[in-house]
Amino acid sequence: PYVLPWIQALATLKDLKFLVFASQSLTTLIRKRRNIDASRMPLLHRLSDLDLLEHWATDLLKVVGKFGGHLLQDPTTIYRFIPQFCPHNSILYRQFGKALSSPLSVTGLSNRDWDDCLARVSVGSEHQALMVTCSGRYLAVLTSARTIVLWDSRTFEEFRTLSHREHIFAMCFSASGGELASYGFLTTRIWSVSSGRQLHKVANPTDRALCLAFAENDTVLLMGSDLRRVKKLSLDDTLEGWQALNSSLLQEDSSLEGTFLNSPTALAFNSDTTQIAVAYRGFPLTVWALTSPRLINRCKRRLGHNTNPMNAWTGVNRVLWHPHSGEVLGIYTDGIVFKWHPLEESHHELKADLHATPSEVQCSPDGHVFGTSDVHGTVKLYNFHHFTLIYQLSSENIVTALCFSPDSKRFYDLRGSYCNAWEPNVLIRLSDTDEGANEIDTEERSVTISYQASEVWAETPVPITALSAQWQGSLLCAGNDEGVVEMYDIANGTKLGVGKSATEFTIDYLTWGEDGKHFAYAEIGGKLAVKCIEAQAGGQNKVPWGYRSVMSVKLNLEAGRIHQLLLSPGSDFLLVVSLNGAQLWSLQTQSIKAIYTSTEPGVLQKWASHPSNRGQVLAFTPSMVTACSWDSLQKVGQWKIKLPPGHMLDEVEEEQPVLSSISSLQEPMSTVGNNEIIDEVIVPQAEGYILLHISGHGQHRRARSQLRIIDVASLRETAAGGSATLEPIPVPADVAAAIERPLNVLGRDRLVFLDRSFWICTWRLRHAGGPGPIAQAAAQTVLGVYIFSRHGDRTAKSTPPTNLTDLGYQEVFTSGTYFRDRYIADGATTQIVGISPNVVKYAQISASAPLDTVLMPSVQGFLQGLYPPVGETLGSQTLGNGTVIQTPLNGFQLIPVAEVTSGTGSESSGWLQGSSNCENSIVSSNEYFTTPSYLQLLNSTQDFYTSLTPVINGTFSPSEISYKNAYTIFDLINVAEIHNASINDSQILTNETLFQVRTLADQHEFNLAYNASSPIRAVTGSVIAAQVVQALNSTITGNGSTPLNVQFGAYGGFQSFFGQANLTQVNVDFFGVPDYASTMTFELSTNGSAHPFPSADDINVRFLFHNGTTSNISQPVAYPLFGQSELYLPWSAFVSGMNGFAIGSQAQWCSACGNNTGSCSPSVLSGTSTSTGSSPSASSTPSSSSSGGISKAVAGVIGAMVTLAVVLGIEALVMLAGGWRLVSKKQLSGSGGAGAAVDQTAVSPKA
């Protein structure tokens, strides 16, 4: 029962490799146990136990390979989703797939057992995977984007991406696996795999590398080129560049009879780089020695008895070496696979398969197996010694590359944009063969085992080419590549064939009518059919419905092939769309009723019924919407779509563009709109929006896609035949970048889409309670940011000293990395205007934290993620004498952090004022302990807290275990749950108990931090509000000179601000204590030009919050402030809202808190300014209040944060407000009312 929590914990800690280790250990145990059982009586065998362990060994490995990426993104999927996707015979499904209550139900899994595919990783749907190689730890795949993507070969977690930025001809790992070399069009680069740092960059000769290998203990790189030259690069002195190994090497005798000496087709170094094999199409395969350059031998091939000995050779396309035997393995130009020993001159050939000529060949590192792949997508494994087939894998996709893992237990292939890891049993069994067995025994056993496996042939399913779902029903219609149309009832799992192409042409298009009865389909040859579903009893295959034919016609394709079918709302008409227009067919007369000719020839239109006008149909292009009447296709209206800024597709320079195949039936598309085309128009059944999924190609045909959302309301009014402009609803850049394919809109405002990792995700189009979309303005340009963050995970407050943990360090570093990717780095989703992307400019950033063992390390960890080391190139300085000084720690960047110190002084030292205690705030907080709600909870929860005694009695005395100490009790348990494996939680700390402990702590702390009838209780939020406005105001008045502000503090300030800003009315989660590393972000932005810097009237502010560690998987969410509905508030409205509760000067703070000593004494205050600065255009004016109370004008700001501290073992809770530093607590007697004494000694907070 504890397997799933264990997996979740490992996923949370990013340590899925331990699942792999556990699987390997179980496998070893099972093998040893079976060896022991072989010598024991069968009755003593515990087969059921071994079978169970074997299932777990398999499932632990498979769950990492198949679901590892999803687990790392969301560890809770091990409970909610993963067991349901496992095969029904797997132990995970049998034990947890049915027992767990999951929101997901999965039907139709074709395999009841795990298949041989261990994992499948993608380089991105817009790119192609071109080359693959692997080391013991990492898998490297070269992409068409001229990058190399690295994955952990144990967990298949994407590790990093290396950008070579030019076409790459060859790549290889060093023997140690610590370095990776890539040979490009212009340069060779050597990379550190662990750090991603570029170690060397060397200019290339004009040669194109055909093979690349490390040599001489990884100190030399060897390259064999298409110019028949071998060159070496010394990694100890790369300034020498590539040097020819020997001028006579590979210099062939071109006078050999019957030959034509041209460029080699392939080269390969042997395992110790002492020999090289050179393959040609018009010349014999030749082997040369490298150490003492000389020709060793040429491959002779006798094709028959009458073959002329002088012509006894055949050209070779592929060549490689056996790792141990000295034999060469290759593919002749006639498709025959062979092995040849250049010294012994032995020669063996594989029997030809006329239907599957191999195009690739690779040998396993242990030498027992070699594999081939062909253009049909088939991979075959052979026993090397006997040349016998032992395994065959069939798939529909073409294999472009192949390689084996270093342990020879798996192989990798590339198909399209995917890299697949296969781990068939035959390879595992071969690798598990006893080491003591002799070579003959090993070969015989491998042949026997593999022969059985080779008899199992997996059928490739016929690809589904068209799919359409019934409106408001359970039927699904699908057409396939063989011309078959089937209807599926997902409610009961039945299916029925409803159509079959006589010529077996592919079904290209399917559509359902809105009546839920009629459906139409078309095949690639131009034949289309319309049918109608009818209910019937006792139908075929016990299906409770049948169908009848309504129309069947063969279209003339002179007007172009079919691109879309659409049934009218009443299913009276069928619209048949081609490239340059459309035909309207009447189902009643089975004839063409009207013809529409496109006004934009060559631009494909997609059509959809008007969501709010059943008499109209809409034609969409990326830049235009045209409304026509359904019965005549007469134009009745037209709108231009306002294209978003930067809509033109980015072009990527490539030496060789990726070419795509073009069907003989495909018409040339126009280049209008930079080759943008609409892939799909989605009209949700809930009226409100139309989704346009648009893709396109830049100059080099790299696919891009985007989503444009049309508000239906904007289509309702236009003059007949007139033209208007539609402005699509803006989609935030980070959301748009995540969308792989839009699916629908649920309810009124929730967009559903598939993201790049194929998660089903949602994004809210409308805000709760708001009258319209989130944003009606154009995309915002970020001018500045204020980030207020809680510290990371720490040790418990009740067990001092409190320190930041490694987990906490990782949390804040991860958050910093996210905000770098969002606001700072090149290519950031919402980069701050003018921000330095790599090397920090101190004037652009302000960071603050107290000198504390939790908060100061937290802000430092955050800043390390925000501005990581810059590497050797940027992290260096050249002195006057030419000496280059490298920055330590790979260019580590030191960012000053303002430290909180004690003392009094000027108003600008905001942290100093915050270190004072606010007396009225303490009184207000203590008032909570006399309220009926507190006393009721204190009594009603006593039994609950008493039940926790066995868990916490080592820290808390019986008198301390109550709701009075709700937070510190929660804090202790929460820390123990994270870090203490021995905590006594088997019977006591259930999920329900932990939830109640957390909920009570949330309620306790919120009531201490905020009360609407006693505003001074939330003095922390008041100070934060002023601090935010002052920081952003400085960004505006300084024209963006200091655009980034980072401050760290405790949770109490969050809760105070949540209450004051009315965020608790937006979402009840704002009543809770924020998790470690939570962030509040205030974005300063404009929807106009940022150059010159905009005026205050053109600036907006948006508030975002994220609970817990922020990352690309879990990002901040925007919320409206002050009870407003808009997310983007004009600067003046934002200042006005903050002005409602901000405390903006030392004098105001002292007056509000009722303090009149120390820094609040009249003698000190007499020198304190109280000028305001809430607007960049405002002049300094005195603060005032008509009631004689405290003016909340946002003025010279106290940069302070209030920390709430619970005193254990006393009758009162002391709230100490005003700063990052807490005031130490003095033991109080009695009930600790408002008059409790407080020691004024300053100490560090443990927040």
Side-chain angles (χ1 to χ4, degrees), residues 1129-1155:
L1129 290 178
W1131 170 249
S1132 59
F1134 172 74
V1135 171
S1136 177
M1138 299 287 262
N1139 190 52
F1141 56 88
I1143 294 179
S1145 73
Q1146 178 66 39
Q1148 292 173 353
W1149 188 87
C1150 293
S1151 178
C1153 291
N1155 291 25

Coordinates of all heavy atoms in Angstrom, one line a residue, residues 1129-1155:
L1129 N -4.9 46.9 -14.2 CA -5.4 48.2 -13.7 C -4.6 49.3 -14.2 O -3.4 49.3 -14.1 CB -5.4 48.2 -12.1 CG -6.4 47.2 -11.4 CD1 -6.2 47.3 -9.9 CD2 -7.8 47.6 -11.8
P1130 N -5.2 50.4 -14.6 CA -4.4 51.6 -14.9 C -3.6 52.1 -13.7 O -4.0 51.8 -12.5 CB -5.5 52.7 -15.2 CG -6.7 51.9 -15.7 CD -6.7 50.6 -14.8
W1131 N -2.5 52.6 -13.9 CA -1.6 53.0 -12.8 C -2.3 53.9 -11.8 O -2.1 53.6 -10.6 CB -0.4 53.7 -13.4 CG 0.5 54.4 -12.3 CD1 0.7 55.7 -12.1 CD2 1.3 53.7 -11.4 NE1 1.6 55.9 -11.0 CE2 2.0 54.7 -10.6 CE3 1.6 52.3 -11.1 CZ2 2.9 54.3 -9.6 CZ3 2.5 52.0 -10.1 CH2 3.1 53.0 -9.3
S1132 N -3.1 54.8 -12.2 CA -3.8 55.7 -11.3 C -4.8 54.9 -10.4 O -4.9 55.1 -9.2 CB -4.5 56.8 -12.0 OG -5.4 56.3 -12.9
A1133 N -5.5 53.9 -11.0 CA -6.4 53.1 -10.3 C -5.7 52.2 -9.3 O -6.2 52.0 -8.2 CB -7.3 52.3 -11.2
F1134 N -4.5 51.7 -9.7 CA -3.8 50.8 -8.8 C -3.3 51.6 -7.6 O -3.4 51.2 -6.5 CB -2.6 50.2 -9.6 CG -1.6 49.5 -8.7 CD1 -1.9 48.2 -8.2 CD2 -0.4 50.0 -8.4 CE1 -1.0 47.5 -7.4 CE2 0.6 49.4 -7.6 CZ 0.2 48.1 -7.1
V1135 N -2.7 52.8 -7.8 CA -2.2 53.6 -6.7 C -3.4 54.0 -5.8 O -3.3 54.0 -4.6 CB -1.5 54.9 -7.3 CG1 -1.2 55.9 -6.2 CG2 -0.3 54.5 -8.0
S1136 N -4.5 54.3 -6.4 CA -5.7 54.7 -5.6 C -6.1 53.5 -4.7 O -6.4 53.7 -3.5 CB -6.9 55.1 -6.5 OG -8.0 55.4 -5.7
G1137 N -6.1 52.3 -5.3 CA -6.5 51.1 -4.5 C -5.5 50.9 -3.4 O -5.9 50.6 -2.2
M1138 N -4.2 50.9 -3.6 CA -3.2 50.7 -2.6 C -3.3 51.9 -1.6 O -3.0 51.6 -0.4 CB -1.8 50.6 -3.2 CG -1.6 49.5 -4.2 SD -1.5 47.9 -3.5 CE 0.2 47.6 -3.4
N1139 N -3.6 53.0 -2.0 CA -3.7 54.2 -1.2 C -4.7 54.0 -0.1 O -4.7 54.7 0.9 CB -4.0 55.4 -2.0 CG -3.8 56.7 -1.3 OD1 -2.8 56.9 -0.6 ND2 -4.9 57.6 -1.3
G1140 N -5.7 53.1 -0.3 CA -6.7 52.9 0.6 C -6.3 52.3 1.9 O -7.0 52.4 3.0
F1141 N -5.1 51.7 2.0 CA -4.6 51.1 3.2 C -3.1 51.2 3.4 O -2.6 50.7 4.4 CB -5.1 49.6 3.3 CG -4.6 48.8 2.1 CD1 -3.4 48.1 2.1 CD2 -5.4 48.6 1.0 CE1 -2.9 47.4 1.0 CE2 -5.0 47.8 -0.1 CZ -3.8 47.2 -0.1
A1142 N -2.4 51.8 2.5 CA -0.9 51.9 2.6 C -0.5 52.8 3.7 O -1.2 53.8 4.0 CB -0.3 52.3 1.3
I1143 N 0.5 52.5 4.4 CA 1.2 53.4 5.4 C 2.5 53.9 4.7 O 3.4 53.1 4.5 CB 1.4 52.8 6.7 CG1 0.0 52.5 7.4 CG2 2.2 53.6 7.6 CD1 0.1 51.8 8.7
G1144 N 2.6 55.2 4.5 CA 3.7 55.6 3.6 C 4.8 56.5 4.2 O 5.6 57.0 3.4
S1145 N 4.8 56.6 5.5 CA 6.0 57.4 6.1 C 6.2 56.9 7.5 O 5.4 56.3 8.1 CB 5.7 58.9 6.0 OG 4.7 59.2 7.0
Q1146 N 7.4 57.3 8.0 CA 7.7 57.0 9.4 C 6.7 57.6 10.4 O 6.2 57.0 11.3 CB 9.1 57.5 9.7 CG 9.5 57.3 11.2 CD 9.7 55.8 11.5 OE1 10.2 55.0 10.6 NE2 9.3 55.3 12.6
A1147 N 6.3 58.9 10.1 CA 5.4 59.5 11.0 C 4.0 58.8 11.0 O 3.4 58.7 12.1 CB 5.2 61.0 10.6
Q1148 N 3.5 58.4 9.8 CA 2.3 57.7 9.7 C 2.3 56.4 10.5 O 1.4 56.0 11.2 CB 1.9 57.5 8.3 CG 1.6 58.7 7.5 CD 1.4 58.5 6.0 OE1 1.7 57.3 5.6 NE2 1.0 59.5 5.3
W1149 N 3.4 55.7 10.3 CA 3.6 54.4 10.9 C 3.6 54.6 12.5 O 2.9 53.8 13.2 CB 4.9 53.7 10.5 CG 5.0 52.3 10.9 CD1 4.5 51.2 10.3 CD2 5.7 51.9 12.1 NE1 4.8 50.1 11.0 CE2 5.5 50.5 12.2 CE3 6.3 52.5 13.2 CZ2 6.1 49.7 13.2 CZ3 6.8 51.8 14.2 CH2 6.7 50.4 14.2
C1150 N 4.3 55.5 13.0 CA 4.3 55.7 14.4 C 3.0 56.1 14.9 O 2.5 55.7 16.0 CB 5.4 56.8 14.8 SG 7.1 56.4 14.4
S1151 N 2.3 57.0 14.2 CA 0.9 57.4 14.7 C 0.0 56.3 14.6 O -0.8 56.1 15.6 CB 0.4 58.6 13.8 OG -0.9 59.0 14.1
A1152 N 0.0 55.5 13.6 CA -0.9 54.3 13.5 C -0.7 53.3 14.5 O -1.6 52.7 15.1 CB -0.8 53.7 12.1
C1153 N 0.6 53.1 14.8 CA 1.0 52.0 15.8 C 0.9 52.5 17.3 O 0.9 51.8 18.2 CB 2.4 51.6 15.6 SG 2.6 50.6 14.0
G1154 N 0.7 53.9 17.4 CA 0.7 54.4 18.8 C 2.0 54.4 19.5 O 2.1 54.4 20.7
N1155 N 3.1 54.3 18.8 CA 4.4 54.3 19.4 C 4.9 55.8 19.5 O 4.7 56.6 18.6 CB 5.4 53.5 18.5 CG 5.1 52.0 18.5 OD1 4.0 51.6 18.7 ND2 6.1 51.3 18.2

